[in-house]
Amino acid sequence: MLEYSEIMIRYGELSTKGKNIKLFIQQLAKNIRSALQAHPKVKIHGQKDRMYLILNGEPSQIIIEKLRPIFGIQTFSPVVKVDKQLEKIYQAAAELVASEYVPGQSFKVNAKRADRAFELDTIGLNREVGHAVICAIPEIEVKMKQPDIELRVEIRHDAAYLSVATIKGAGGLPVGSSGKGMLMLSGGIDSPVAGYLAMKRGVEIEAVHFYSPPYTSEQALNKAKELTVKLTPYVGSIQFITVPFTEIQEAIKENVPSGYLMTITRRFMMRLTDLIREKRGGLAIINGESLGQVASQTLESMTAINEVTTTPVIRPVITMDKLEIIDLAEKIDTFDLAVLPFEDCCTIFAPPQPKTKPKLEKVLEYEKRLDVDDLIQRAFDGMVFEKIQTGDYFLTSGQQEFEDLL
């Protein structure tokens, strides 16, 4: 069994970034180091057209699985390093193709020669390595255009490098290359998907979760943290910010007509998230609102809620229907957690008939009944920060048993 010595990473979309490509490559390297912090022997060499991970004995299959979700990687290939002896190259080539071959498939050899002193030129390498593969697998077909298997052979000055598998990466842009945004993470289906999509476009997210005990339980808080864990493989770790919200919701319930409860509640959430963004150096607010999905998610409601900030509010799922969002939630493994029946701040005190077209003048009139600045400041002062990493676990055994029934 051949041991992979390195992994070659192709950038895809990053290759279009022109003079800025160095910044994107540096961010990708940083994210890979974070994801592979348990494998300190891996060395990363970023070049303009591709990146190489030198494994130095670290387990290749584990590394491969950790690379799959990292945004900014279009494809990658595990590479075998052998001495520049023809017989060893032929043997490695035959073994690599055999490891991928399914009866009826075709192949070709794509050779490159950086070491011009090597005994065979590129044409000779293609011919002789291909012959070695055919001798080992007589039934395999040679096909120069769009083969099923492409065997790449690169002769460098120190050794020969061979690869055959092309593994699809997550695509997108490296997380952090587009700045930082604050994700309003409720604990439902939509907001984790919004966070995932924002990260795919290079946004570093910090999760802001509003917590209203005793109306919302510790189980609901832990569910939100566990949803954050599901998003960490794309970046390594995420800052989770818990905001106490009980006093604000009680004040709104006591002083605001029921039809405007949701609008004013969301305005307070937006104000607090914007303050956190300012403190944490963020550039945008991200949420999981989808136009028309629930009564409070209308353009009129969004206009009334957005009035409290001039910060860009990014809504990655705004044009998606519920089935599209669910499909993506299942893909990123957040759906089963999101549907656990633990109430969050958006569902408690929910009015039976929320205003779908709230009037801003009415909103401003009702907010005058509240000591907005003091309520905001006390909630802001009570925030709790927690760094959540891949592998963290917050569900209790009882909660896990309930989840397993779904």
Side-chain angles (χ1 to χ4, degrees), residues 49 67 102 114 121 163 177-178 215 217 219 297-298 300 342 350 365 376 388:
D49 58 342
L67 289 177
V102 174
D121 62 12
S163 63
S177 62
S178 299
Y215 307 106
S217 66
Q219 294 169 321
Q297 293 181 14
T298 63
E300 290 85 356
F342 304 133
E365 176 188 338
I376 290 289
I388 292 182

Side-chain angles (χ1 to χ4, degrees), residues 281-302:
L283 299 174
I285 296 168
I286 303 153
N287 67 32
E289 289 177 338
S290 176
L291 190 60
Q293 189 180 119
V294 296
S296 62
Q297 293 181 14
T298 63
L299 286 180
E300 290 85 356
S301 289
M302 292 178 191

